[in-house]
Amino acid sequence: MNQASGQTLHRASCIASASPNPVFFFTTDVMWDGIVRMRLFFVVGGMALAIFSSQRALATSDLSLRGEYRAVRTDETPRIDGELSERIWETAPAITDFVQQEPETGNAPTERTVVRFIYDDSALYVGASLRDSHPVTSKLARRDSYLASDWLAVYLDTHYDRRTARMFRVNPLGVQRDSLVVEEDEEDRSWDAVWTAATRVVDGGWTVEMRIPFAQLRFPERESHVWGFNVEREISRNNEVIRLVHVPRNETGFVKRFARLVGIESVNPPRRLEVLPYVVGRVGLRSADDPSNPFDGGTEEMELGLDLEYGLSSNLTLTAALNPDFGQVEVDPAEVNLTAFELFYPERRPFFLEGADLLSFGGPSLFYSRRIGRSPQGRPAAFDFAELPGQTTILGAAKITGRTESGWSIAALDAITEEEEAPFLLEGERDSAVVEPLTNYFVTRVSKDLSGAGQVSAMLTSVHRSGTTIQPELHDEAYSAGADGYQYFGEREYLLDWSAYGSYVAGSAESILRTQRSSARYFQRPDATHLEIDPGRTSLTGWGGSMRFRKVSGNLRYTLTGLAASPELEINDAGFLGRVDEWASLNSIAWVDPVPRGRLRSRSYILWKIDRFNFGGDHLLDRSMGIVRFTYSNYWQTSWRVIHDAKAFDDRSTRGGPLIRTPSNTFYQASVSTDFRKRWYGTLRGNIEHGGMDLEARRLNVEVSYRPSPAMTMSVGPSWSQVRFPYQHVRTVADSTAGHTFGSRYVFAPIERKTLELATRFDWAISRTLTLELFLQPFVSSGDYLEFRELERPSSRDYDSYSEIGDVSFDEEANRYTIDPDGSGPAQPFSFQNPDFNVRSLRGNVVVRWEFRPGSAAYLVWTQNRAERALVGDFDAGRDFDALLGLDADDVILVKVSYWLGL
């Protein structure tokens, strides 16, 4: 049976409406009932949030500010050329009182830095003269790249909430980076602004000019503004970081310490409108090896789309995308998953990355943006050939983000994905089947700042599907709601954070039964007295929560954590959660010394203790862990880790069957990283694991990078693993004679897995605006099942080998095993396909990106995927890598042009 993936050009219209709250919705008639219910849910959540926020936050000591500096209005718009030749620069006060952040915190800088601020009605301008007694260090790369280079960065807290800031950074070759900074110097690098910078390398240093349009900032309407700000310079050759306002060692609070920028008067936030239309041409090529398959031909598509950003007010911004395309995004790496749980892949799509922190919950991932546009969850019931869509088409998506002067923040996202059909051929007849219904996703989060020392938030997600009668295994509707928050105490020395959340899913009895039987919960477990499966249920309601208290500064630090997730919790329609039915404690104590001493720049010693139980009281994990990390004066780093798991129970490995006992095991890991400023740099990581039942594992990961020139970086990351796992589940066989295991035989086997991959990257910045990126991942993996056996009795780690108690035969022609579990006894024989496997995969893409004007870009992308799963089982790297080149290839060539318009 052959399958082919393809894409179809879709057109649809969406209706945009705004509610007074304000929340933006794409709506359709089939979603209206769910949206009404969702709004009611949101009102209730908002009332709960108001109750939380009305409680007075515990007082904390205020951190003193560094000082106050003035920006000067200009009627002479400076030319952004990096020369600082205009007279107006001399009229602005010079900012020179910088101090070291690294390596000698609080000391005077080794080089002089002078920074000035001026502004006009449309933009803030930054001019800087950076003296250097040595040649400056600079490298060339595409925008937003992180480089071992000299840098100048300006941070602006334009709401003056002393919590969030926008960062604008440039290096001597003019490479720009921007990001949002939250709290303790945590960066959201997905945020992109349209701003300009020019630099010049001169005798004795380099100079910078920046123009930051007010339209790219968010600030309230006032006659006179006070902004928090900081300036940071990196001198790469000696790993020196200087700041206008530094953070003393063993203390916290970055944005909170910012200085004040005053003098910006009679400037109103502009009503922002940014439009980014784009056109995409895509050609799909497929190696046709079966002329009887009508779907083996190539595809040609032309699509139009639009991204839009509009300032609803000085505090609220609407971002929308119609028919978004993410073809220029790097492909996901290959994986082999033998667990019962779904793999988590990070988000890579710009629309969902930007502002992702505003929709991030303090507990589990109530919102996992990769659910939107996911691969269709259904498939035709029977087919000879089919064209299965690679992903679900996103008809439109929109989000609103913003904050008020009183400390409220809001983020809301709504998206609609199209009903997807898969054409198929069965016995010569062509037909199509719905493989994903029309679906509406909504998520919102509202937060209230508590006097700058904490925050409380409420979050809601909802998913509504139309046409689930065609796919009754999917929920009709799914909701999750939660509240989370944090509070600092003392001089921000202690931190308490917490979360509480719940879920509700409803649909057909078939969909809820599927949820009860899923790997997250396994209600059908025969020895679980706290669980009961109910085939007639049409809804599930669950809950969860967590609380963590931490000492976050000083040499001695510790963490006390407790969390729980009830068996009926289900958030995976919009979020991500591997398993429920557990409560756990995670506690740690650490000694952290960031002060350079001798050859050590910093050191840390950490002890962890983790315990997990299910709601039936079974002890699922008893783990102790020790970690030691050193950073040396030459900026090499080493770490050692030892993990010991004591004997415990496993309620998932039997895939819905009884508990099994797990052996103790010990895991050792060591790693070393070199100084990434050098032309050659890399990381070596190895680990060894061994335990009871002959559990053995060896893994080695290497990543080596080389910069042949300041504009070019090559890296290769070979990874090798060899694992012998003693109890891999093979299948479950119903058998009334197996009374010792509740009428089923749970078939296991030790498995020996070997995996080799070679992730390769090549980045070449031809100029600041023209870049070439290459990613290639050859991947081969084998799994050899060694001996088939069955669980002897529940809650044990004892297994009976079929070669001793029964009879095992193998049909080489059919590649199937037949097992008589008790020889001449009453049990019936059963058979199954040989589970041995070899996975061969070659994934890669090449991206040429040209930013032909600020905010506008053209892409040329070539993506290739080759994959095969062979029933071999033995590992032969030479054979498997050679076979990769002979596999059928799926190629996609894409051209995309987007044009930014600031209106």
Side-chain angles (χ1 to χ4, degrees):
M1 183 178 296
N2 294 333
Q3 301 176 17
S5 62
Q7 298 178 341
T8 307
L9 178 62
H10 302 280
R11 296 182 176 87
S13 61
C14 298
I15 302 174
S17 64
S19 71
N21 285 335
V23 177
F24 184 84
F25 297 97
F26 281 105
T27 63
T28 62
D29 291 341
V30 297
M31 303 299 176
W32 182 250
D33 178 64
I35 289 176
V36 171
R37 297 168 68 178
M38 174 272 298
R39 284 181 170 174
L40 178 61
F41 203 1
F42 181 54
V43 169
V44 174
M47 294 174 60
L49 177 61
I51 294 173
F52 277 119
S53 63
S54 65
Q55 305 301 313
R56 182 177 179 84
L58 295 179
T60 61
S61 299
D62 194 16
L63 298 173
S64 61
L65 297 175
R66 173 76 176 188
E68 185 172 280
Y69 301 86
R70 181 168 294 275
V72 173
R73 176 180 278 278
T74 178
D75 295 325
E76 175 190 348
T77 301
R79 182 180 178 183
I80 306 302
D81 55 11
E83 288 192 356
L84 299 176
S85 57
E86 290 88 352
R87 180 189 58 82
I88 186 60
W89 287 117
E90 297 300 323
T91 66
I95 301 173
T96 60
D97 44 348
F98 292 86
V99 295
Q100 284 192 45
Q101 179 69 48
E102 296 289 344
E104 302 294 338
T105 302
N107 286 1
T110 61
E111 304 289 351
R112 177 175 170 81
T113 302
V114 180
V115 177
R116 292 179 168 89
F117 290 88
I118 61 178
Y119 70 97
D120 58 20
D121 289 334
S122 62
L124 178 71
Y125 301 89
V126 183
S129 175
L130 303 98
R131 307 302 297 171
D132 203 327
S133 56
H134 295 75
V136 300
T137 303
S138 190
K139 295 177 175 63
L140 195 61
R142 66 163 291 178
R143 179 187 169 116
D144 290 329
S145 297
Y146 184 75
L147 301 168
S149 170
D150 291 352
W151 292 95
L152 179 75
V154 175
Y155 298 84
L156 298 174
D157 174 12
T158 52
H159 283 279
Y160 199 42
D161 61 6
R162 300 169 68 189
R163 181 175 177 268
T164 58
R166 286 170 165 80
M167 183 271 287
F168 303 86
R169 185 183 296 261
V170 66
N171 82 346
L173 289 180
V175 177
Q176 296 175 222
R177 288 178 56 204
D178 46 30
S179 64
L180 292 177
V181 179
V182 182
E183 284 292 333
E184 304 300 324
D185 204 10
E186 298 176 8
E187 280 193 57
D188 174 10
R189 298 180 184 175
S190 64
W191 179 72
D192 283 320
V194 180
W195 57 288
T196 54
T199 60
R200 286 182 181 268
V201 177
V202 298
D203 290 340
W206 57 296
T207 58
V208 176
E209 282 185 306
M210 296 182 184
R211 181 182 185 273
I212 304 172
F214 290 134
Q216 299 299 307
L217 302 174
R218 309 290 182 264
F219 53 93
E221 293 186 12
R222 289 182 183 145
E223 179 61 27
S224 181
H225 298 275
V226 177
W227 292 352
F229 86 106
N230 205 349
V231 180
E232 177 182 275
R233 178 185 177 185
E234 294 184 34
I235 305 173
S236 179
R237 72 171 186 278
N238 54 7
N239 266 316
E240 182 177 348
V241 177
I242 67 171
R243 288 175 177 169
L244 181 64
V245 184
H246 77 290
V247 180
R249 294 187 186 276
N250 281 332
E251 294 187 24
T252 60
F254 177 61
V255 179
K256 185 177 180 66
R257 298 175 181 270
F258 279 12
R260 294 184 295 269
L261 184 66
V262 299
I264 301 177
E265 300 176 348
S266 301
V267 171
N268 293 319
R271 183 59 60 90
R272 308 173 306 278
L273 175 59
E274 300 177 16
V275 180
L276 190 73
Y278 58 82
V279 58
V280 177
R282 182 183 289 106
V283 176
L285 305 174
R286 187 173 301 120
S287 301
D289 60 348
D290 187 351
S292 63
N293 185 351
F295 308 113
D296 257 349
T299 60
E300 296 182 4
E301 300 173 355
M302 180 70 71
E303 299 182 10
L304 299 175
L306 179 73
D307 292 340
L308 178 145
E309 186 169 312
Y310 177 61
L312 298 172
S313 68
S314 62
N315 296 317
L316 292 173
T317 300
L318 165 68
T319 306
L322 299 179
N323 194 27
D325 176 83
F326 307 107
Q328 75 278 15
V329 175
E330 184 178 293
V331 296
D332 291 318
E335 301 274 1
V336 175
N337 183 18
L338 296 181
T339 73
F341 303 107
E342 175 187 9
L343 294 177
F344 180 90
Y345 289 102
E347 181 60 83
R348 302 177 186 273
R349 300 169 295 179
F351 177 84
F352 296 105
L353 280 173
E354 187 171 339
D357 62 304
L358 297 176
L359 293 171
S360 176
F361 187 66
S365 299
L366 293 187
F367 177 52
Y368 177 44
S369 57
R370 291 196 62 151
R371 299 295 185 210
I372 303 175
R374 67 190 301 172
S375 297
Q377 301 173 76
R379 58 190 300 160
F383 58 91
D384 297 322
F385 303 100
E387 187 172 25
L388 304 177
Q391 62 276 325
T392 305
T393 301
I394 303 174
L395 295 175
K399 56 186 173 184
I400 283 180
T401 57
R403 67 180 67 239
T404 68
E405 293 186 55
S406 59
W408 288 88
S409 300
I410 183 173
L413 181 148
D414 197 84
I416 286 185
T417 58
E418 189 176 30
E419 179 180 275
E420 292 285 354
E421 294 188 359
F424 64 90
L425 186 71
L426 177 63
E427 297 179 351
E429 297 293 329
R430 294 194 64 152
D431 203 345
S432 64
V434 174
V435 291
E436 185 73 21
L438 177 70
T439 306
N440 176 255
Y441 297 86
F442 175 79
V443 57
T444 186
R445 188 168 186 254
V446 180
S447 304
K448 178 66 169 67
D449 182 67
L450 302 178
S451 304
Q455 179 180 280
V456 62
S457 304
M459 187 168 181
L460 169 75
T461 74
S462 71
V463 178
H464 293 268
R465 297 185 175 93
S466 172
T468 53
T469 53
I470 302 174
Q471 290 182 281
E473 72 277 5
L474 299 180
H475 299 139
D476 294 333
E477 53 186 358
Y479 299 95
S480 69
D484 66 295
Y486 66 89
Q487 177 70 54
Y488 283 99
F489 301 96
E491 294 281 352
R492 299 176 72 91
E493 185 178 6
Y494 301 96
L495 175 63
L496 174 69
D497 58 71
W498 56 271
S499 69
Y501 45 92
S503 68
Y504 172 80
V505 294
S508 66
E510 180 180 343
S511 70
I512 299 304
L513 179 60
R514 181 172 180 260
T515 302
Q516 294 178 76
R517 300 179 65 89
S518 71
S519 61
R521 49 193 57 78
Y522 286 142
F523 276 19
Q524 68 271 33
R525 283 176 41 214
D527 58 346
T529 57
H530 66 291
L531 300 174
E532 183 178 359
I533 197 164
D534 183 353
R537 295 190 65 171
T538 57
S539 66
L540 288 176
T541 303
W543 60 269
S546 66
M547 183 168 290
R548 178 172 58 174
F549 182 77
R550 291 184 285 169
K551 185 176 183 293
V552 295
S553 64
N555 292 110
L556 181 65
R557 306 181 187 186
Y558 52 82
T559 301
L560 304 172
T561 306
L563 58 88
S566 75
E568 294 190 354
L569 181 70
E570 175 57 277
I571 66 171
N572 283 311
D573 290 87
F576 187 96
L577 186 61
R579 65 158 292 154
V580 293
D581 184 22
E582 72 169 349
W583 59 274
S585 66
L586 300 86
N587 307 303
S588 70
I589 185 168
W591 178 265
V592 179
D593 186 2
V595 178
R597 303 178 190 277
R599 294 185 177 181
L600 288 179
R601 287 192 50 79
S602 64
R603 53 183 174 168
S604 60
Y605 310 90
I606 308 171
L607 293 176
W608 279 91
K609 182 66 170 69
I610 305 172
D611 288 279
R612 290 175 45 233
F613 300 82
N614 61 26
F615 274 49
D618 302 310
H619 201 170
L620 305 178
L621 181 67
D622 181 359
R623 173 170 292 177
S624 304
M625 178 166 54
I627 304 172
V628 178
R629 297 192 183 105
F630 292 152
T631 300
Y632 301 90
S633 56
N634 62 357
Y635 292 92
W636 284 45
Q637 294 180 329
T638 58
S639 71
W640 295 268
R641 177 178 304 188
V642 179
I643 301 174
H644 178 73
D645 289 343
K647 296 177 181 179
F649 291 98
D650 185 339
D651 61 359
R652 290 297 186 265
S653 285
T654 53
R655 305 294 203 269
L659 288 171
I660 63 171
R661 189 77 168 165
T662 59
S664 63
N665 68 84
T666 306
F667 174 96
Y668 305 91
Q669 183 187 79
S671 68
V672 57
S673 299
T674 69
D675 185 353
F676 78 98
R677 299 172 302 165
K678 305 300 183 182
R679 176 168 289 190
W680 287 92
Y681 61 97
T683 299
L684 173 65
R685 180 180 297 107
N687 60 61
I688 298 173
E689 183 178 3
H690 65 83
M693 300 176 64
D694 297 325
L695 170 63
E696 295 287 344
R698 304 284 189 274
R699 299 179 179 90
L700 182 66
N701 302 88
V702 181
E703 184 172 352
V704 178
S705 298
Y706 172 59
R707 297 189 184 105
S709 74
M712 193 178 295
T713 302
M714 298 181 292
S715 65
V716 60
S719 174
W720 163 256
S721 67
Q722 181 174 353
V723 180
R724 189 186 189 280
F725 186 68
Y727 50 94
Q728 178 65 48
H729 180 263
V730 177
R731 66 189 298 108
T732 299
V733 180
D735 188 340
S736 59
T737 66
H740 56 293
T741 49
F742 304 100
S744 292
R745 300 186 184 274
Y746 298 94
V747 184
F748 289 83
I751 183 175
E752 185 168 284
R753 288 188 55 190
K754 299 178 181 179
T755 301
L756 177 63
E757 65 174 295
L758 191 66
T760 304
R761 299 178 187 273
F762 174 78
D763 298 322
W764 179 24
I766 303 169
S767 70
R768 287 192 303 116
T769 58
L770 181 61
T771 57
L772 170 67
E773 301 173 8
L774 179 146
F775 170 75
L776 187 66
Q777 188 211 24
F779 174 96
V780 295
S781 180
S782 68
D784 185 11
Y785 289 76
L786 302 177
E787 180 188 38
F788 299 108
R789 54 182 72 168
E790 69 176 45
L791 182 66
E792 182 177 319
R793 61 183 180 275
S795 302
S796 77
R797 60 170 185 168
D798 298 327
Y799 299 86
D800 288 326
S801 172
Y802 286 128
S803 61
E804 296 178 0
I805 65 170
D807 181 57
V808 179
S809 61
F810 179 64
D811 185 338
E812 292 189 10
E813 184 175 349
N815 200 31
R816 292 184 66 85
Y817 282 95
T818 298
I819 293 178
D820 187 339
D822 60 355
S824 58
Q828 294 297 311
F830 59 88
S831 66
F832 52 87
Q833 189 77 25
N834 181 5
D836 292 350
F837 65 85
N838 281 71
V839 173
R840 301 158 181 161
S841 171
L842 179 64
R843 296 186 179 187
N845 64 349
V846 179
V847 180
V848 178
R849 182 182 186 272
W850 176 35
E851 187 175 359
F852 55 88
R853 65 187 297 267
S856 303
Y859 297 88
L860 173 62
V861 183
W862 172 39
T863 300
Q864 184 177 98
N865 184 25
R866 301 169 183 256
E868 178 186 57
R869 187 182 182 98
L871 302 178
V872 182
D874 64 312
F875 185 85
D876 186 327
R879 176 201 63 199
D880 291 337
F881 277 117
D882 286 344
L884 281 177
L885 299 179
L887 296 180
D888 294 335
D890 288 340
D891 294 274
V892 175
I893 299 174
L894 174 145
V895 177
K896 178 178 179 179
V897 179
S898 59
Y899 193 86
W900 180 83
L901 297 170
L903 306 176

